[in-house]
C-alpha cells in the first residue's frame, strides 16, 4: 500500500509540473554582444605559442608572454619550436602583469612598456578592443567569482584548454542574453541629499556588475550573470529580478503547490535548484521522492525569504534549496545568511526545519528527509495574492505561519538585517525632520500640524539614512524582527512636543527644543543683542514687523540702514 502511494505521488508531481507553466516574458529585454574574432592569449611563452598554433578561424591573435616556458623536456621544446615557426608573424609582447577589463566583444588589455602603460589592442591589431581572451596563466588576470563571457581561464588544465580551443572559433558573430534585473531608483535607499545609506546589493554581486555611479546604483548588464543576489539582498525591492519577475515566480509557486494539493490531497516539498549544475545533479538521481516538486531557477538566489515563506504559507510542507560545487562563494554566503534568518524565525514560532539548504552531496538523504517531513502537522493555507511586493510577501508569509503556529509575539534581535526599528534619544531630538525627509520607504513621517516623529516598524529597511542625516546624533538603529503584527504595523510616536507659539501673535511655528537651541547659539550674536533676542521666539511675519518697528522708532538706525 505504501509503495502504491509513493507511485501515485510521483504521478501527481509530474502532472502538476506538466499542467502548471511559468508565465514567461514573451518580449524580454536583452543584451547584445558583437564579436569579430580578435583574440588575446596570455600565459607562459610555450603554452601560448602551442595554443595559437592549434587555432583556426580567428580574425587576429595577439600573444602576451607573462611567464617563461614551463618545461625543458626535449620533445616538448621541439613542439614549441614548431609552434613558434607557425606563429612567428603574430604580434607578441612580454609582460609579467596584464591589466584586463571588459566582456565579450569589448576587452581592453594594458601592459607596462618602458614604464608606461600600453593599451594592447590599438597598438597590436589597430582595434579599440579585443573580442575574446584565452588566459593560460596559473593565476587568472580576472579574479571575479563569475567571469564575463568571452574570457577563458584554463591555466594548465588540458581538458579546459581543449574545450576553450573548440569554443573560441564559434564565438564570432552576434550573441544576446536577457537583462536579468531592473532598477527602480525612486525607492532605492542607497543615497539621499549627500548622505550614503544602503550598500547591500554592492556587497553581494559575484560578477562585480553593480556599482555606485554619481550616487546611484547601476547594473552593468554586460557583466551581469543573473545570479539574483542583488535582488535578494535589496531591502526595498528597488532591484528586482526580471527573468522571471518576482510576481511571476510567486504566481508560479502558488499555482504549482495548489495544483499538487488538489491532485494528491497531500502537501508537497518544493525543491529550488539552479538550471545548470543543480539540474544535472538531479538527473543523476534515479528518481526524486514522489512528494518533491523541483523548480528550476537561473540561480538559487532568485528566490529569497519572501518566496520561501510564501511557498510554506500556500501549502508546501517544506522548502529545500539545492546548492552545488559551482555556487559562487558570495552567493553561498548570502543564502546561508538568509536561511539562518528564516530558520531562526521558524524556530521561534514552533516550525523548525521547514526551510533547508542542501548540498548535492546530501541528495541521497533527501528521501529520508522527505519521509520525516511527512509526519509534520499540516498548516492552514493562506489566501493572500501572489502579486505582493517583496517585503509585503515576506511579512504576509511570516504572519500567516506565525498565526498557524502559536501566534508568537516574540521580538527577535538579529544583527545586520534589513528589518528593525529606530530608537530616538528624545533629549537630543529637536524634531527637525531631517530623518523623515530622507526615509525612502516612509517608515518615518512627521506629525503634520503637530511637532512629532512617527514610525512604522514594518516599513523600516535599516538603510541608515536617518541615522546619518540626524544633526543631533539622536537616532540609533536596532536590527530585529517583531513577530507581533499589530506592534509592527501600527504607527507609533517616537517623539513629540507641544508647538512653540509666537510671543506676539500666538501662532504655532516651531518646537520649544528648536527655539531653545537657536537662542543658545545666537545669544552672543550682535544681531540679537538686548531685546532683539526675543525675535527668535517670533514667527517669520512678526519677526519682520518687529525689525521695522525698531528701525522706525530709532532715527539713528534709519541712517545706518
Amino acid at each position: 500500500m505504501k509503495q502504491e502511494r509513493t507511485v501515485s505521488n510521483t504521478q501527481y508531481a509530474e502532472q502538476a509540473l506538466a499542467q502548471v507553466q511559468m508565465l514567461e516574458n514573451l518580449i524580454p529585454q536583452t543584451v547584445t554582444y558583437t564579436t569579430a574574432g580578435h583574440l588575446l592569449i596570455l600565459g607562459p611563452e610555450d603554452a601560448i605559442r602551442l595554443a595559437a598554433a592549434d587555432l583556426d578561424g580567428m580574425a587576429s591573435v595577439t600573444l602576451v608572454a607573462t611567464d617563461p616556458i614551463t618545461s625543458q623536456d626535449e620533445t616538448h621544446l621541439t613542439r614549441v619550436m614548431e609552434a613558434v615557426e607557425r606563429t612567428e608573424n603574430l604580434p607578441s609582447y612580454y609582460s609579467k602583469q596584464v591589466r584586463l577589463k571588459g566582456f565579450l566583444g569589448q576587452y581592453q588589455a594594458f601592459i607596462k612598456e618602458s614604464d608606461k602603460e600600453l593599451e594592447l589592442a590599438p597598438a597590436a591589431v589597430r582595434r579599440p578592443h579585443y573580442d575574446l581572451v584565452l588566459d593560460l596563466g596559473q593565476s587568472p588576470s580576472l579574479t571575479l567569482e563569475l567571469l564575463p563571457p568571452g574570457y577563458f581561464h584554463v591555466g594548465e588544465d588540458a581538458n579546459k584548454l581543449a574545450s576553450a580551443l573548440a569554443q573560441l572559433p564559434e564565438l564570432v558573430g552576434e550573441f544576446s542574453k536577457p537583462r536579468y534585473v531592473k532598477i527602480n531608483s525612486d525607492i532605492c535607499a542607497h543615497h539621499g541629499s549627500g548622505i550614503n545609506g544602503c550598500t547591500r546589493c554592492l556587497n553581494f554581486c559575484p560578477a562585480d556588475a553593480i556599482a555606485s555611479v554619481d550616487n546611484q546604483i547601476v547594473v552593468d548588464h554586460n557583466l551581469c550573470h543573473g545570479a539574483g543576489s542583488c535582488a535578494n539582498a535589496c531591502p526595498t525591492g528597488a532591484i528586482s529580478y526580471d527573468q522571471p519577475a518576482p510576481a511571476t515566480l510567486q504566481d508560479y509557486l502558488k499555482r504549482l503547490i495548489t495544483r499538487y494539493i488538489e491532485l494528491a490531497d497531500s502537501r508537497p516539498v518544493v525543491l529550488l535548484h539552479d538550471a545548470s549544475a543543480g539540474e544535472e545533479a538531479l538527473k543523476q538521481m534515479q528518481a526524486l521522492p514522489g512528494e518533491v516538486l523541483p523548480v528550476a531557477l537561473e540561480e538559487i538566489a532568485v528566490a529569497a525569504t519572501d518566496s520561501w515563506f510564501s511557498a510554506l504559507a500556500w501549502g508546501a510542507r517544506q522548502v529545500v534549496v539545492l546548492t552545488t560545487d559551482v555556487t559562487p562563494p558570495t552567493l553561498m554566503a548570502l543564502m546561508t545568511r538568509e536561511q539562518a534568518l528564516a530558520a531562526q524565525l521558524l524556530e521561534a514560532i514552533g516550525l523548525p526545519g521547514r526551510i533547508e539548504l542542501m548540498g548535492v552531496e546530501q541528495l541521497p538523504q533527501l528521501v529520508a528527509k522527505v519521509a520525516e517531513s511527512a509526519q509534520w502537522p499540516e498548516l492552514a493555507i493562506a489566501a493572500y495574492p501572489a502579486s505582493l511586493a517583496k517585503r509585503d510577501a515576506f511579512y504576509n508569509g511570516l504572519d500567516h505561519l506565525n498565526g498557524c503556529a502559536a501566534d508568537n509575539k516574540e521580538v527577535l534581535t538579529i544583527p545586520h538585517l534589513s528589518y528593525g526599528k529606530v530608537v530616538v534619544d528624545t533629549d537630543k531630538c529637536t524634531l527637525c525632520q531631517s530623518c523623515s525627509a530622507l526615509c525612502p520607504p516612509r517608515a518615518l513621517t512627521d506629525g503634520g500640524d503637530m511637532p512629532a516623529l512617527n514610525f512604522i516598524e514594518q516599513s523600516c529597511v535599516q538603510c541608515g539614512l536617518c541615522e546619518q542625516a540626524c544633526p543631533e546624533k539622536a537616532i540609533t538603529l536596532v536590527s530585529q524582527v517583531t513577530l507581533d503584527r499589530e506592534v509592527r504595523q501600527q504607527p507609533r510616536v517616537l517623539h513629540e512636543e507641544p508647538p512653540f507659539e509666537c510671543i506676539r501673535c500666538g501662532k504655532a511655528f516651531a518646537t520649544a527644543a528648536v527655539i531653545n537651541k537657536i537662542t543658545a547659539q545666537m545669544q552672543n550674536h550682535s544681531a540679537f543683542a538686548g531685546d532683539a533676542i526675543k525675535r527668535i521666539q517670533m514667527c517669520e511675519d512678526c519677526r519682520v514687523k518687529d525689525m521695522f518697528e525698531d528701525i522706525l522708532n530709532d532715527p539713528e538706525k534709519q541712517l545706518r540702514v
Side-chain angles (χ1 to χ4, degrees), residues 330-507:
T330 298
L331 210 60
M332 194 68 199
L334 173 64
M335 299 306 290
T336 301
R337 188 195 72 173
E338 292 296 294
Q339 191 274 337
L341 164 64
Q344 188 167 347
L345 293 173
L346 292 171
E347 182 78 31
I349 59 180
L351 298 174
R354 300 271 176 161
I355 296 175
E356 183 173 341
L357 282 183
M358 176 181 288
V360 291
E361 71 281 358
Q362 297 173 291
L363 275 176
Q365 305 171 25
L366 184 61
V367 174
K369 289 182 178 293
V370 168
E372 178 186 353
S373 67
Q375 309 305 313
W376 295 342
E378 293 185 353
L379 306 176
I381 296 177
Y384 66 85
S387 56
L388 297 177
K390 178 179 179 177
R391 290 177 71 85
D392 292 334
F394 169 84
Y395 277 122
N396 271 267
L398 176 63
D399 290 337
H400 175 80
L401 297 172
N402 191 25
C404 288
D407 198 19
N408 195 305
K409 303 295 185 183
E410 189 175 350
V411 176
L412 302 177
T413 301
I414 309 174
H416 310 304
L417 287 182
S418 56
Y419 312 98
K421 66 178 181 179
V422 169
V423 177
V424 172
D425 185 338
T426 55
D427 291 334
K428 294 180 179 179
C429 178
T430 61
L431 293 173
C432 68
Q433 302 301 334
S434 296
C435 54
S436 64
L438 281 179
C439 183
R442 305 299 295 156
L444 289 169
T445 55
D446 60 35
D449 294 334
M450 295 295 294
L453 181 62
N454 301 319
F455 177 66
I456 300 176
E457 182 176 332
Q458 181 157 316
S459 300
C460 179
V461 299
Q462 298 281 288
C463 65
L465 284 174
C466 59
E467 188 177 33
Q468 297 295 321
C470 180
E472 311 303 334
K473 304 303 178 187
I475 289 179
T476 304
L477 301 182
V478 177
S479 180
Q480 67 179 41
V481 176
T482 300
L483 295 179
D484 190 326
R485 175 169 49 191
E486 291 185 6
V487 170
R488 207 177 57 233
Q489 294 181 344
Q490 185 67 34
R492 61 180 184 267
V493 178
L494 297 182
H495 183 42
E496 62 181 342
E497 290 184 15
F500 187 89
E501 297 177 349
C502 174
I503 59 174
R504 281 188 57 152
C505 69
K507 172 186 173 183

Side-chain angles (χ1 to χ4, degrees), residues 38-364:
H38 296 277
L39 172 67
L40 173 66
I41 305 181
L42 315 172
E45 185 171 7
D46 53 341
I48 62 177
R49 292 285 178 180
L50 290 168
D54 288 340
L55 266 174
D56 291 315
M58 308 309 298
S60 72
V61 177
T62 302
L63 305 178
V64 178
T66 57
D67 295 286
I69 60 175
T70 59
S71 173
Q72 297 292 334
D73 177 77
E74 187 173 339
T75 302
H76 175 75
L77 291 177
T78 299
R79 290 181 56 235
V80 172
M81 292 307 298
E82 293 174 352
V84 169
E85 291 180 5
R86 294 200 298 272
T87 61
E88 61 182 351
N89 293 326
L90 298 181
S92 302
Y93 298 85
Y94 298 87
S95 178
K96 286 289 185 183
Q97 292 183 335
V98 179
R99 185 167 69 87
L100 189 66
K101 64 180 182 178
F103 46 85
L104 178 64
Q106 292 193 35
Y107 279 104
Q108 292 178 282
F110 304 85
I111 64 172
K112 283 290 185 66
E113 191 173 83
S114 302
D115 295 328
K116 294 182 179 180
E117 192 170 62
L118 173 69
E119 186 173 356
L120 276 177
V125 293
R126 302 187 185 282
R127 299 275 300 180
H129 44 67
Y130 290 104
D131 299 309
L132 303 156
V133 179
L134 176 61
D135 191 345
L136 305 175
Q138 289 187 349
S139 299
S141 297
L142 292 177
T143 56
L144 303 172
E145 292 176 21
L146 292 178
L147 295 168
Y151 173 82
F152 296 84
H153 176 252
V154 302
E156 298 177 356
D157 191 316
N159 291 329
K160 286 185 177 180
L161 176 59
S163 175
L165 292 177
Q167 291 181 62
L168 283 167
E170 298 177 357
L171 291 175
V172 178
E174 188 170 286
F175 307 89
S176 63
K177 70 172 185 181
R179 285 195 176 209
Y180 292 106
V181 298
K182 59 183 179 181
I183 299 179
N184 180 359
S185 298
D186 292 339
I187 59 173
C188 180
H190 173 60
H191 189 89
S193 298
I195 298 171
N196 293 321
C198 177
T199 59
R200 290 180 176 91
C201 61
L202 297 172
N203 299 331
F204 285 107
C205 181
D208 200 24
I210 300 180
S212 176
V213 179
D214 296 329
N215 299 319
Q216 281 199 325
I217 294 296
V218 296
V219 174
D220 187 335
H221 296 285
N222 294 297
L223 296 177
C224 176
H225 280 255
S229 50
C230 55
N232 192 315
C234 178
T236 65
I239 298 184
S240 61
Y241 210 77
D242 202 35
Q243 298 291 331
T248 301
L249 176 58
Q250 296 279 68
D251 175 69
Y252 174 71
L253 289 173
K254 185 176 184 179
R255 289 187 293 112
L256 180 64
I257 295 166
T258 300
R259 185 58 183 145
Y260 178 88
I261 294 173
E262 291 171 351
L263 292 168
D265 194 26
S266 64
R267 303 301 178 88
V269 173
V270 173
L271 175 63
L272 302 172
H273 63 90
D274 69 72
S276 52
E279 185 80 32
E280 287 300 315
L282 294 180
K283 288 180 180 178
Q284 301 304 315
M285 298 183 67
Q286 291 184 350
L288 284 172
E291 303 95 322
V292 174
L293 294 175
V295 176
L297 304 169
E298 186 73 24
E299 277 286 357
I300 54 172
V302 172
T305 45
D306 55 318
S307 296
W308 301 347
F309 282 167
S310 292
L312 295 177
W314 290 327
R317 69 175 187 248
Q318 187 181 30
V319 174
V320 176
V321 182
L322 184 66
T323 65
T324 70
D325 293 338
V326 298
T327 303
T330 298
L331 210 60
M332 194 68 199
L334 173 64
M335 299 306 290
T336 301
R337 188 195 72 173
E338 292 296 294
Q339 191 274 337
L341 164 64
Q344 188 167 347
L345 293 173
L346 292 171
E347 182 78 31
I349 59 180
L351 298 174
R354 300 271 176 161
I355 296 175
E356 183 173 341
L357 282 183
M358 176 181 288
V360 291
E361 71 281 358
Q362 297 173 291
L363 275 176

Side-chain angles (χ1 to χ4, degrees), residues 10-20 259 263:
T10 299
Q11 293 173 342
Y12 294 143
E14 291 173 351
Q15 290 177 33
L17 289 165
Q19 294 172 9
V20 179
R259 185 58 183 145
L263 292 168

